[in-house]
Amino acid sequence: MNYWLVKSEPSTYSWDDLVRDKKTTWDGVRNFQARNNLKSMKKGDLVLFYHSMDDKAVVATATISKEHFPDPKDKDWAAVEIAAGKKLKKPVTLAQIKADKRLVDMVLVKSSRLSVQPVKEAEYSIVLSLSEEK
């Protein structure tokens, strides 16, 4: 199993939208590295759902429910289907992630603009544990 982080602007597609829809096609990615990450996703992989822009926080989890297929809007690009997981007890902000020495090598810290990125299993667990802290 692999772990990932996907970013979305809440005004474009939020966690609440995914909960409402239950699953969605994750398309519109127009970065080669992010596209390659989409192509590496496998059904059942776990995902951190990150609100970009104002929130800048991991807000929930999701699961890859369908492996990559051609982006419906442009067949030269890739898409996957993701299904809603669980909302975190509290959002884990980018500032919290950057401040945690255990996450210094996380792609989100080093390449924060990448919209689809791999996450190590330990990083995934740490982010979930940070959401549980008071």
Side-chain angles (χ1 to χ4, degrees):
M1 176 180 319
N2 294 306
Y3 301 84
W4 306 94
L5 182 143
V6 297
K7 295 172 145 188
S8 184
E9 295 177 19
S11 61
T12 302
Y13 195 84
S14 71
W15 165 249
D16 291 336
D17 294 325
L18 182 56
V19 169
R20 179 196 65 226
D21 298 342
K22 296 185 176 57
K23 61 184 178 179
T24 193
T25 298
W26 205 259
D27 59 3
V29 173
R30 299 296 182 264
N31 171 286
F32 289 107
Q33 188 175 0
R35 180 197 62 185
N36 292 342
N37 290 335
L38 287 173
K39 287 184 172 186
S40 296
M41 293 176 166
K42 302 294 180 206
K43 186 174 181 178
D45 283 357
L46 299 177
V47 178
L48 296 172
F49 195 97
Y50 183 92
H51 276 174
S52 58
M53 299 306 285
D54 294 335
D55 294 353
K56 291 185 183 161
V58 176
V59 296
T61 64
T63 305
I64 301 302
S65 52
K66 184 177 178 183
E67 293 181 17
H68 80 89
F69 51 92
D71 186 316
K73 297 173 186 150
D74 184 338
K75 304 295 184 209
D76 291 331
W77 294 91
V80 296
E81 182 182 84
I82 67 171
K86 294 184 177 180
K87 184 175 183 175
L88 299 184
K89 279 194 176 176
K90 67 175 190 173
V92 179
T93 66
L94 179 58
Q96 283 177 278
I97 291 169
K98 285 183 173 182
D100 193 308
K101 291 182 190 259
R102 300 171 295 172
L103 299 173
V104 68
D105 291 324
M106 192 170 179
V107 175
L108 184 63
V109 173
K110 295 184 168 223
S111 186
S112 64
R113 294 189 53 87
L114 187 61
S115 63
V116 178
Q117 50 190 254
V119 174
K120 295 177 186 154
E121 182 178 6
E123 295 166 341
Y124 184 90
S125 296
I126 291 166
V127 170
L128 294 185
S129 69
L130 289 172
S131 77
E132 301 283 332
E133 292 179 359
K134 294 184 180 189

